[in-house]
Amino acid sequence: MKRVKIELKWAIIFTIMSLAWMLLEKTLGWHDESIADHWWLTLFFLPFAVIIYLLAMRETRRRVYKGKMTWKQGFLSGLLMAVFVTLLSPLAQYITHNYITPEYFESVRNYSVTNELMSIEKANAYFNITSYIWQAAIGAFAGGFITSAIGALFLMRK
């Protein structure tokens, strides 16, 4: 039970950090004036995401496994956190697109259509809350899976 509490705590921290990042993106104009660069500027979030996973796995190693942890134990710890982050991601998307940056979808659709990157039909189908909830959930789980697998290599101790 202690282990589950650690991963849940870090998943909540991760979700709060991702909401803070969305607020930063919005404040810096990445959701309107700089929408063209949004796709690569968002990559700056990755190091922070990895650090949160590593801190969570390190705490699990220290508090649950008494400083010793196999790769499998570390991977399962990270994977459990990824499941919690995945479950929290629809709520984070809802908060992001209803309170932090409600005009994001309109901005990105307009940019995509104006610059002939997509038709209006494709833009409407891709840039909406339902699509982003699914993308966030799949991305959270896949990213957590990969981060857990690689992070466990660095955190295992015998």
Side-chain angles (χ1 to χ4, degrees):
M1 190 63 178
K2 182 184 207 179
R3 179 174 147 194
V4 172
K5 285 181 181 179
I6 293 169
E7 280 82 2
L8 181 58
K9 173 186 86 170
W10 282 100
I12 292 169
I13 291 169
F14 184 96
T15 302
I16 292 168
M17 183 188 66
S18 69
L19 290 170
W21 182 264
M22 286 297 116
L23 187 59
L24 177 70
E25 283 188 5
K26 170 67 177 158
T27 303
L28 294 175
W30 298 356
H31 293 183
D32 35 56
E33 303 96 40
S34 300
I35 196 90
D37 297 320
H38 181 255
W39 69 272
W40 69 268
L41 290 169
T42 298
L43 295 175
F44 287 119
F45 178 73
L46 288 177
F48 299 104
V50 169
I51 288 169
I52 292 294
Y53 268 87
L54 294 175
L55 290 172
M57 293 163 61
R58 188 181 75 170
E59 183 177 344
T60 299
R61 181 184 69 195
R62 184 174 42 85
R63 293 184 62 202
V64 175
Y65 298 115
K66 310 291 187 244
K68 297 177 183 178
M69 184 170 72
T70 65
W71 177 86
K72 182 179 178 182
Q73 290 168 328
F75 174 68
L76 291 176
S77 169
L79 195 59
L80 181 58
M81 183 177 153
V83 168
F84 288 140
V85 169
T86 300
L87 293 173
L88 289 170
S89 68
L91 176 62
Q93 287 299 309
Y94 179 82
I95 292 169
T96 296
H97 296 292
N98 283 289
Y99 298 104
I100 296 173
T101 181
E103 69 287 338
Y104 173 76
F105 291 129
E106 184 179 337
S107 294
V108 74
R109 278 192 296 255
N110 288 341
Y111 173 79
S112 298
V113 172
T114 303
N115 290 287
E116 299 178 3
L117 301 173
M118 289 183 181
S119 67
I120 188 71
E121 294 81 20
K122 285 186 180 179
N124 285 333
Y126 188 77
F127 299 115
N128 62 67
I129 190 70
T130 304
S131 174
Y132 267 51
I133 285 173
W134 280 105
Q135 290 177 52
I138 292 166
F141 188 76
F145 184 92
I146 292 166
T147 303
S148 300
I150 296 169
L153 289 171
F154 293 100
L155 291 169
M156 62 182 189
R157 302 277 188 275
K158 296 198 178 193

